[in-house]
Amino acid sequence: MRYHPFTLPFSIGLGFIVLYIVVMWTIWIIRLSRREQKIVWKRLFSLRTVSAIWESIREGLLHRNIFKRNILLGYMHMSLAFGWFMLIVLGNLEARLYPHGVINPPFYPIFFEFFRHDLTPLHEYEEIFTFLMDFFLLMVISGVSLAFFKRFRSRTLGMKRTTRHILIDRIAITALWFIFPLRLFAESVTAGLYNTGHFFTNFLGQWVIYNLPLDYLYYPAWWAYSIALGVFFITMPFSRYMHIPAEILLIFLRKYGVKEKDTHSTFTKIELSACSRCGICIDACQLSTSLNISDTQPAYFIRDLRYSQPSERLRETCMMCMRCLEACPVGIEITRIRENERREYPLFTSTSYSYINGYKYPKAKVAFFAGCMGHLTPSVIKSTLALLDAAGVDYTFIDKNGSICCGRPLQMNGQADAAKQLIAKNNHLIVESGAEVLVTSCPICAREFASSYHLTIPVLHHSQYLLQLTKQNRLRFNQSGLKVTYHDPCELSRGLNITREPRELLQNAAILSNGSKEIESKSLCCGGSLGITNISMTDRYKIANNTLDEIVTESSSYLVTACPMCRKTFTNAQEKIKVLDIAEILEKNLNFAPEKASDKVQTQAKHQAVTT
């Protein structure tokens, strides 16, 4: 027997999902821009493809990124994906090795135990196949059990909250949860009747359910298994499980160099479909952990953007701190997608931007830019300039006589046109300065200069530049023995991947950084983010205090950060610990070299602005 009507639900579902994936992949690839298509074809036959295949295995089947978060959670995802994959592979090998002399229909390997009760033609492979099929089925069943358990006791698997699913997701996940228990039951019934299983199914069939009327359960069991498969396949494209085929395509496109752009595109649609709504981003978000706002994270924002249009609250309630981006096992560019959505639906419209004009600054080798937050924390500017003077740096302070925003806050809130005007103005100032390097004490500015300005000179955060001066022995510091806690600002650590330089600078300055290793990977937000406008100052201070509770140790004399906005927020939020910028604590321990004194006076005189 090589056909039975019970295979119809599976066959219809399989045909539908294969056709749907082929059509969607084709549409997505065709709708890529011409430039993106050229990139894909150019790099298709290269080592990038090998790398993409390996990443698909590593992340799509083995879920390495989730394993790094929590072993049990990683095993749950891996057992379902890799276990099911191995059952399919082994089923096809088993069916091919079985001597029948004809091409197998797609359903035949899936329901092999139904069609073949005598496995002796497999010869010496019979024992291997039956054992492996039972082993991987047990692995998948264990994963399903963990997934079911996670809905009620998620903390055991390292998740404080799980995602609240919509109806189509619930149908799909219910079908998925039933597939393997029903397969186990069907194969155990078959093993009880025909001894076709191994340690798992034979034990269940011949010792656990042997008293049941197995003859009457035989066909209903296989029908139920087939129906569960069919329902899952048909609901899959419209549910969270579309992430399975979408993620594979996303991995390949990313390897070829396709990225999220400044507006929604076909690549955006692929990223939206690649989100599994696993909920890992919910725990990573400090709005959830500190303010109990747990319904605006990417799992929900991406879901609504994929199906319809996110509400204003969903679109705007995000600090843009990138913790969700760092936590996402798929690596979806959620911050850029949310920024693009805000650009399409801005809270307010701004067509022009006022500048403070009328000043011309002397040319110098280094251009220093303080930015908005720098001017709101003048002590940071004072200390940074004091260090530059002490090192005899030839610099010009290009926004000394008036704060000119870098444009990043406007970008984060959808004000693209106003941001372009600022960028044009700042570009002019930077070019006019004749500088060979641009230094800023604000990570927000540093990131914006590096990503949006297309400058031909290096952009350095002041922690990077001060470290260079220290290594060149142009800055020397007293042996202080202070113990401080260093805080990683979001834009500096996640936005620019600068975490080593500030720590090395503190160590070179003979300041002992206490607890820095523990907090390095957390990079908790201070709460003062310019990317969110709909939370109160009280809420911001609550986030700040929760961050301090998490990172500050009792032996720390100071909290040191490298962002003027973080310094301001932490200072205003509490009085438990003194907060300083890294430049400030370095200035406190600066050892002025006598030979630099005359240079310092000359340098300061040069930097006076000349009114035009």
Side-chain angles (χ1 to χ4, degrees), residues 106-117:
F107 59 80
Y108 183 73
I110 306 300
F111 306 112
F112 184 78
E113 282 76 8
F114 175 88
F115 293 111
R116 299 296 177 184
H117 301 151

Side-chain angles (χ1 to χ4, degrees), residues 43 63 69 100 153 179 191 236 257 391 424 442 447 497 527 535:
R43 297 171 177 175
H63 293 280
R69 174 184 173 84
H100 50 73
R153 293 289 186 272
I179 286 172
M236 179 180 164
C442 176
R447 187 180 177 209
N497 197 31
I535 61 172

Side-chain angles (χ1 to χ4, degrees), residues 539-560:
D539 287 339
R540 291 178 184 275
Y541 290 164
K542 185 174 182 180
I543 293 171
N545 278 286
N546 286 349
T547 295
L548 293 174
D549 290 342
E550 184 75 21
I551 67 175
V552 175
T553 60
E554 292 182 0
S555 59
S556 297
S557 302
Y558 294 96
L559 174 72
V560 176

Side-chain angles (χ1 to χ4, degrees), residues 308-443:
S308 55
Q309 183 63 52
S311 65
E312 179 183 304
R313 179 178 179 276
L314 196 57
R315 184 173 61 247
E316 300 296 332
T317 311
C318 173
M319 295 193 292
M320 309 292 275
C321 68
M322 297 168 286
R323 280 180 60 81
C324 56
L325 176 61
E326 183 181 60
C328 178
V330 183
I332 296 172
E333 297 179 67
I334 179 57
T335 306
R336 177 64 66 86
I337 294 173
R338 195 186 289 265
E339 189 176 300
N340 290 344
E341 184 67 9
R342 289 180 176 185
R343 189 176 291 120
E344 289 193 16
Y345 300 92
L347 286 177
F348 59 92
T349 303
S350 177
T351 57
S352 63
Y353 198 90
S354 298
Y355 307 106
I356 299 176
N357 294 315
Y359 294 97
K360 184 177 181 180
Y361 300 95
K363 295 181 182 295
K365 291 183 179 180
V366 175
F368 174 71
F369 187 91
C372 306
M373 295 310 302
H375 281 281
L376 290 174
T377 51
S379 60
V380 176
I381 296 177
K382 176 180 174 294
S383 294
T384 304
L385 297 185
L387 292 169
L388 296 180
D389 290 335
V393 175
D394 178 23
Y395 71 90
T396 182
F397 187 175
I398 61 175
D399 63 331
K400 177 179 180 180
N401 290 286
S403 173
I404 302 178
C405 179
C406 66
R408 177 68 180 161
L410 292 172
Q411 297 272 30
M412 288 193 291
N413 289 283
Q415 304 301 308
D417 291 338
K420 287 178 182 177
Q421 294 178 54
L422 286 171
I423 290 171
K425 175 65 177 178
N426 291 331
N427 259 324
H428 177 71
L429 288 176
I430 295 166
V431 172
E432 263 198 344
S433 72
E436 298 173 3
V437 61
L438 175 63
V439 176
T440 177
S441 54
C442 176

